[in-house]
């Protein structure tokens, strides 16, 4: 069949003319413009309704003047077998022949600088990928812009996730579309915040915002916001002329949902149980219910990320995932319809309760590290979801009481939320929980009430708990805690005799039965009681003991509170110059572990000490401390109030009417900025010099977990052991995880995500790389036993410094390099160093492992080191007339390189020197035959000369 010559000037299909104003997206258009200047295939990805089509249209029109033409091909209602014909029609090609082959299309495009836009590719992703890849290969000046829920997966593709609308643009879009249905729509200033809230809750999705705006015809702004809890029902009136799946949000989600495999649909609905973001570990545990297994979750979740239904958000040490709120509501409907909702919520509660109880010992007395705080903060929405479920479920009280007990010190450090306080009502309901569990919950609520100045509630909970201890009196640690907490409550209430009575019983009991910081807490309040009696020295002594006891348990927060307690005592006594360094030391300790109460007290104390030296800075710091107390809901004790009032009064003569403005500036400061201002050295230099009171104790760092031994033998056959046991092959999940470990081991300073991608997935698109990296990283961390085993430092991933690693390739590299250096210097210990290094060599680097080209350089370097070291050692053996060992050493070398003539010469020399010249001659004859057969040449001149000398009976 003859292919007709295409029209010399086909009339391509232009982008559709929009019927509404395009709003915002200036930054996005600039980014797309730049990407299209350097990439021949750009795919705009995103969930349904994210604005991919409209953005592609605007980007294409921007390029109109720089291209020979723009071809817009809408695939929304096209089937895979119709795609070629659709392209032919879009190019305006002649219909005179039924031939619609790829070749005809390529001939029509030729070498022109065309931009082809494939819009809505997701339902025929394979056909679109095949067509695109072929056209790009045949048409050198063609550029393709595609829109799809997921990347096409074509080599050299750049996938670009369309971001949500930024807030000012989202509000502008809402107002613009609202005026389309109500021309005189002009929101009042009080409505702006409500519209912002609507746009934020709709995740900046353009389609959702447009549909919400259309409701202003029948609803007020406030009513729209109130109904967003069921956004799919609210946003159900779209354009009748649009493609059906673009008319409503539900239709868009139905379309995306229909393209998922059944396992992907199951996982999507189960992920709705997470109220916000979640970790891969959480998804695996909560979602792995038949028919899905835990090993299925990772690949299914990766698929949902690829399809833009789940968002991947990378943190330094862990990838976290989330669904857009509207997608979550849609998935929640499917979860309810499947009858899995209650079961999944119970699994969710069990998982996050286990996390809370796992960290509870480490946060008793306040979190001991910022990492611990960050880990818990990431899960706060999930803890709140557990609390909400506990209020509705018959088995909820048991979960609720355990959750409050496990996290009450965390909430103390951050300020408890209303969701946690709502759980207190469960104490009034009958339940089957154990008495110990109920008493612990009472203590926890009493503890939280105490720090929020809810004194009646605090005494009520603590007294009820103490009354119940008669039935559980074997738990002396819990009894000590109750006594110390009630003693603290009495202290704050000003009932000092009652406080001393409880505290003097509780502190010795805590020292005997508890390994926590509890005794130090008791000392803190005994110091306050002594301070009330104006017994300065006794107060300082109790605070000193607080720091000592906290040091014994390695509790950094307790050490800090002891220091700030001494500082307060000294400051109230007017000894500000002695108090300031203690406050600053305390502030540094509390900042390091993100202890909100300690930070606030430290900033406030520094402010009091700086009043005379730097009044304006002191005023700002007082404002920052006040804001901190309000955020944390922490009360001021009488001594603190007196100190603040007295020092603020001293500021007035200096700052006068500017006090209010300075105070307001301080309230607006971030905590980080306030801490930096409080710690600046210039302020300290303004104070008079004096001998500061130093606590008599030895400071210690928080206890460090014992090293975890990881043994990796990569010379020869790969072997990986953790805690002395081989890692189960199934634990890796894939060979890529094991390869990532080896890549990081050979780059101990760490690699960026991009460097890892170039080594492991050199041909992957950016979207594929991002997902593959986090999936593989998760698998590796899991195989090694925890997310803390691989860390990110300044965006470079590496094995954690605390991980004790034995890596034979690195040891061999290091030892052999040192040994060869010693040999070149003729050092006396060189032979021993060479022997020790050679003992590490079991074979080539990663022998038999299927790894990428990244390993070639390491393999070659290690092989060269082995050869050089083996030769040096054989030469030394030859000098010592240890001829049998020369033979063994050379044979080992020749196993790796049978044509290594230097090794053959050493063998010949050794045999000749021990009188076996005929054997030396036979070795030369063997080598000659080998070289002729393998290389079609002869041995080199040095080897031939050695042979002649041996044959002539000359010394060698």
């Amino acid at each position: 069949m003859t292919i007709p010559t295409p029209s010399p000037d086909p009339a391509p299909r232009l982008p559709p003319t929009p019927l509404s104003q395009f709003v915002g997206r200036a930054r996005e258009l600039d980014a797309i413009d730049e990407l299209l200047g350097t990439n021949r295939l750009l795919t705009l990805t995103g969930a349904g309704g994210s604005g991919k089509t409209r953005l592609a249209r605007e980007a294409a029109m921007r390029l109109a003047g720089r291209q020979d033409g723009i071809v817009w091909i809408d695939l929304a209602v096209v089937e895979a077998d119709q795609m070629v014909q659709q392209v032919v029609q879009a190019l305006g090609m002649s219909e005179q022949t039924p031939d619609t082959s790829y070749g005809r299309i390529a001939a029509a495009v030729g070498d022109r600088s065309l931009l082809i836009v494939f819009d809505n590719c997701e339902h025929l992703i394979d056909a679109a990928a095949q067509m695109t890849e072929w056209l790009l290969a045949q048409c050198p000046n063609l550029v393709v812009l595609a829109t799809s829920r997921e990347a096409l997966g074509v080599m050299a593709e750049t996938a670009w996730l369309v971001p949500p609308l930024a807030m000012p643009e989202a509000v502008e879009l809402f107002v613009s579309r609202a005026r389309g249905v109500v021309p005189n729509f002009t929101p009042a200033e009080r409505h702006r915040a409500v519209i912002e809230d609507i746009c934020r809750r709709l995740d900046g999705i353009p389609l959702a915002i447009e549909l919400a705006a259309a409701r202003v015809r029948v609803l007020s702004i406030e009513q729209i916001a109130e109904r967003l809890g069921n956004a799919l029902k609210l946003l159900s009136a779209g354009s009748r002329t649009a493609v059906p799946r673009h008319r409503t949000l539900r239709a868009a989600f139905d379309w995306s949902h229909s393209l998922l495999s059944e396992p992907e649909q199951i996982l999507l609905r189960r992920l709705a149980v997470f109220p916000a973001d979640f970790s891969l570990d959480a998804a695996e545990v909560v979602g792995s219910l038949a028919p899905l297994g835990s090993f299925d979750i990772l690949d299914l979740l990766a698929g949902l990320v690829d399809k833009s239904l789940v968002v991947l958000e990378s943190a330094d040490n862990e990838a976290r995932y989330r669904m857009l709120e509207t997608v979550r509501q849609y998935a929640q409907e499917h979860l309810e319809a499947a009858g899995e909702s209650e079961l999944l919520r119970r699994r969710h509660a069990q998982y996050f309760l286990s996390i809370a109880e796992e960290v509870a010992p480490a946060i008793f007395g306040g979190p001991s590290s910022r990492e611990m705080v960050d880990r818990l903060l990431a899960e706060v929405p999930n803890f709140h979801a557990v609390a909400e479920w506990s209020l509705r479920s018959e088995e909820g009280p048991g979960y609720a009481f355990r959750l409050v007990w496990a996290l009450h010190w965390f909430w103390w450090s951050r300020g408890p939320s209303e969701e946690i306080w709502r759980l207190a009502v469960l104490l009034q309901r009958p339940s089957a929980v154990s008495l110990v569990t109920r008493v612990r919950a009472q203590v926890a609520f009493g503890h939280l009430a105490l720090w929020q100045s809810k004194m009646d509630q605090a005494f009520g909970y603590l007294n009820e708990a103490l009354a119940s201890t008669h039935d559980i009196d074997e738990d002396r640690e819990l009894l000590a805690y109750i006594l110390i907490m009630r003693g603290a409550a009495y202290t704050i209430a000003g009932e000092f005799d009652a406080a001393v009575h409880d505290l003097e019983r509780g502190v010795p009991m805590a020292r005997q039965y508890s390994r926590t910081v509890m005794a130090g807490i008791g000392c803190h309040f005994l110091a306050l009681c002594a301070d009330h009696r104006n017994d300065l020295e006794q107060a300082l002594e109790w605070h000193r003991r607080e720091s000592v006891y906290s040091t014994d348990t390695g509790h950094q927060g307790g050490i800090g509170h002891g220091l700030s307690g001494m500082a307060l005592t000294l400051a109230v006594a007017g000894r500000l110059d002695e108090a300031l360094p203690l406050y600053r030391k305390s502030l540094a300790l509390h900042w390091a572990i993100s202890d909100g109460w300690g930070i606030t007290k430290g900033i406030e104390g520094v402010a009091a000490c700086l009043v005379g030296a730097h009044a304006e800075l002191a005023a700002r710091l007082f404002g920052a401390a006040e804001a901190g107390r309000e955020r944390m809901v922490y009360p001021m004790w009488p001594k603190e109030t007196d100190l603040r009032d007295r020092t603020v009064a001293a500021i007035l003569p200096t700052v006068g009417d500017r006090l209010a403005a300075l105070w307001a500036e301080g309230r607006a400061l971030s905590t980080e900025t306030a801490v930096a201002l409080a710690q600046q050295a210039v302020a300290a230099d303004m104070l008079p010099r004096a001998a500061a009171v130093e606590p008599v104790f030895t400071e210690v760092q928080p206890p460090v977990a014992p090293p975890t031994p990881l043994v990796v033998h990569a010379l020869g056959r790969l072997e990986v052991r953790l805690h002395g046991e081989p890692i189960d092959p199934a634990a890796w999940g894939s060979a890529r995880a094991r390869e990532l470990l080896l890549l990081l081991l050979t780059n101990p300073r760490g690699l960026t995500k991009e460097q890892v991608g170039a080594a492991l997935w050199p041909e992957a698109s950016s979207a594929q790389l991002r997902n593959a990296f986090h999936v593989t990283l998760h698998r590796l961390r899991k195989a090694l036993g925890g997310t803390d085993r691989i860390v990110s430092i300044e965006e470079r991933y590496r094995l954690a410094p605390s991980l004790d690693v034995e890596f034979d390739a690195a040891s061999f590299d290091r030892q052999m390099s040192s040994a060869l250096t010693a040999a070149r210097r003729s050092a006396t210990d060189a032979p021993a160093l060479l022997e020790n290094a050679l003992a590490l060599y079991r074979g080539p680097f990663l022998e038999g492992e299927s790894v990428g080209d990244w390993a070639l350089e390491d393999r070659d370097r290690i092989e060269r080191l082995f050869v050089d070291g083996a030769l040096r050692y054989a030469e030394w053996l030859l000098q010592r007339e240890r001829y049998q060992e020369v033979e063994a050493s050379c044979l080992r070398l020749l196993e790796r390189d049978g044509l290594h003539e230097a090794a053959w010469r050493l063998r010949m020399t050794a045999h000749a020197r021990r009188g076996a010249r005929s054997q030396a001659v036979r070795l030369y004859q063997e080598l000659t035959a080998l070289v002729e057969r393998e290389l079609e040449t002869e041995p080199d001149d040095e080897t031939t000369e050695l042979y002649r000398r041996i044959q002539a009976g000359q010394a060698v």
Side-chain angles (χ1 to χ4, degrees), residues 756-792:
V756 172
L760 301 188
W761 302 280
E763 297 180 355
S765 69
S766 57
Q768 292 169 328
L769 167 60
R770 186 166 178 259
N771 206 20
F773 173 78
H774 285 291
V775 165
T776 305
L777 180 64
H778 172 78
R779 284 175 167 156
L780 174 56
R781 284 169 164 165
K782 200 164 187 178
L784 296 182
T787 58
D788 60 341
R789 305 297 166 83
I790 307 293
V791 298
S792 173

Side-chain angles (χ1 to χ4, degrees), residues 673-720:
T673 302
V675 169
L677 286 174
Q679 296 286 37
Q680 64 181 18
V682 63
D685 293 339
M686 297 178 181
L687 288 168
R689 299 287 179 182
V693 174
E694 287 291 340
V696 185
F697 68 95
T698 303
E699 288 192 50
V700 296
Q701 293 297 321
V704 178
T708 303
L710 174 67
V711 178
V712 180
H713 289 159
L715 298 180
R717 292 291 177 179
L718 180 64
E719 182 180 307
V720 185

